[in-house]
Amino acid sequence: MSEKLQKVLARAGHGSRREIEAIIQAGRVSVDGKIATLGDRVEVTAGMKIRMDGHVVSINESTEAVCRVLAYYKPEGELCTRNDPEGRPTVFDRLPKLRGARWVAVGRLDVNTSGLLLFTTDGELANRLMHPSREVEREYAVRVFGQVDDEKIKQLSRGVQLEDGPAAFRTITYQGGEGLNQWYNVTLTEGRNREVRRLWEAVGVQVSRLIRVRYGDLTLPKGLPRGGWTELDLPQINYLRELVELDPETVSKMPVEKDRRRVKANQIRRAVKRHSQVAPSRRSATNKRG
């Protein structure tokens, strides 16, 4: 059965439908050597060649693929980019390899922020989850250094003016601390660049540590080490899809219950081990260039 070209490419993880529609309109996509136009429908076959900017894109398995989502515990020091010219570690280094699809990050965390980062093979799901109009709540544990009084808490709750517009925390909850180092849990419903840090800085308080602990109703999995990932099950995936008004999935690539613990332990070990091997080699290469 044929489908719209942008739907096929979005499902295979090459962007959201809206992004791909713009790419098609710009004449950057071809199907079997013919420049595609918006509205084209395709029926994916083994010999079909779809190119984007002249490069063949992986779509052969997309018609049978199901939406997959990973929960990843991003450590500090990793970049949210696919490739870094300086050879620094990225969040994609530890993820499992795919055929016919690719992992798309749901939002970003800056290099000095750790915590929950979601990845999916469905570009449309990623785009909708990130869009400000959806107001998906994110929760952060934040350690701040400085004097925090009731007036500053009121300012952060009412809203402060940042360079890219007003912003505020939806909730602020004190978690304890010693001296001028205090822990708070804060929530936001948008993902502007460094927004948590900039909000605290706007009231004269510095953030010394920042961890994302929740995205929507999904929390950072207990027992997951930094650099480890785990695949979400079907109810969790459909929770995210329902959140942004996408049709539910009916099948999952998660293993059956009796194998789940063994697979989860193995995948965590592989992810952490792979990073421990990648990081030293990158540092070595960087030193040689220096």
Side-chain angles (χ1 to χ4, degrees):
M1 186 177 68
S2 66
E3 294 181 285
K4 287 187 177 180
L5 179 58
Q6 62 266 33
K7 182 178 180 180
V8 171
L9 290 170
R11 189 174 57 243
H14 297 289
S16 70
R17 288 193 204 179
R18 188 172 301 174
E19 291 168 336
I20 292 170
E21 285 172 359
I23 293 172
I24 292 172
Q25 285 182 313
R28 295 165 53 192
V29 178
S30 67
V31 179
D32 290 336
K34 181 182 177 182
I35 298 298
T37 58
L38 199 58
D40 284 355
R41 300 179 71 88
V42 297
E43 186 168 348
V44 178
T45 61
M48 176 178 286
K49 292 288 190 298
I50 298 180
R51 289 180 169 84
M52 189 180 297
D53 294 329
H55 302 288
V56 176
V57 296
S58 300
I59 45 84
N60 290 340
E61 299 178 8
S62 64
T63 53
E64 298 179 359
V66 297
C67 174
R68 300 175 66 182
V69 182
L70 298 181
Y72 177 64
Y73 192 161
K74 176 193 176 296
E76 295 176 356
E78 286 186 353
L79 300 174
C80 287
T81 183
R82 292 188 184 276
N83 297 289
D84 178 59
E86 298 179 27
R88 291 171 293 182
T90 81
V91 294
F92 291 93
D93 291 338
R94 314 195 203 201
L95 304 186
K97 304 302 180 185
L98 296 174
R99 292 181 60 194
R102 68 172 185 168
W103 295 115
V104 180
V106 180
R108 303 166 66 90
L109 294 175
D110 69 53
V111 66
N112 294 319
T113 299
S114 63
L116 179 62
L117 186 60
L118 299 179
F119 292 87
T120 179
T121 55
D122 188 330
E124 184 64 20
L125 174 62
N127 183 66
R128 293 194 187 192
L129 286 170
M130 289 185 284
H131 201 280
S133 66
R134 299 292 175 173
E135 296 189 341
V136 181
E137 190 170 84
R138 292 89 153 157
E139 182 176 357
Y140 298 82
V142 52
R143 185 179 67 192
V144 298
F145 179 78
Q147 190 65 47
V148 180
D149 53 28
D150 290 343
E151 181 55 35
K152 289 182 179 180
I153 296 297
K154 289 178 183 177
Q155 281 183 266
L156 292 169
S157 300
R158 288 194 302 256
V160 298
Q161 186 66 35
L162 303 178
E163 59 267 27
D164 53 355
F169 291 127
R170 174 172 282 191
T171 62
I172 307 175
T173 308
Y174 178 64
Q175 299 294 320
E178 296 180 359
L180 293 179
N181 285 295
Q182 305 291 322
W183 281 94
Y184 290 86
N185 274 31
V186 299
T187 61
L188 289 167
T189 55
E190 56 184 357
R192 280 192 261 171
N193 184 42
R194 300 183 70 255
E195 188 171 5
V196 175
R197 295 179 188 275
R198 291 188 294 136
L199 273 164
W200 284 103
E201 289 168 0
V203 296
V205 178
Q206 295 297 313
V207 171
S208 57
R209 193 168 180 200
L210 185 59
I211 308 166
R212 183 153 71 191
V213 296
R214 180 170 59 85
Y215 196 100
D217 286 346
L218 299 178
T219 57
L220 187 62
K222 291 182 179 179
L224 188 66
R226 288 182 178 86
W229 56 266
T230 186
E231 187 156 357
L232 302 190
D233 59 22
L234 191 57
Q236 292 172 311
I237 290 172
N238 282 335
Y239 156 72
L240 291 174
R241 296 182 69 83
E242 182 180 351
L243 199 60
V244 294
E245 300 176 308
L246 285 175
D247 292 337
E249 286 284 348
T250 57
V251 294
S252 169
K253 288 205 172 185
M254 283 289 292
V256 295
E257 185 65 37
K258 65 180 180 180
D259 294 330
R260 196 167 294 177
R261 289 185 181 179
R262 175 179 56 80
V263 171
K264 181 177 179 180
N266 288 342
Q267 66 191 201
I268 290 172
R269 281 196 294 270
R270 285 196 299 269
V272 175
K273 181 180 179 181
R274 182 161 60 247
H275 179 72
S276 66
Q277 293 170 340
V278 169
S281 64
R282 288 193 168 188
R283 285 195 294 268
S284 176
T286 302
N287 292 337
K288 287 179 182 178
R289 286 197 296 269

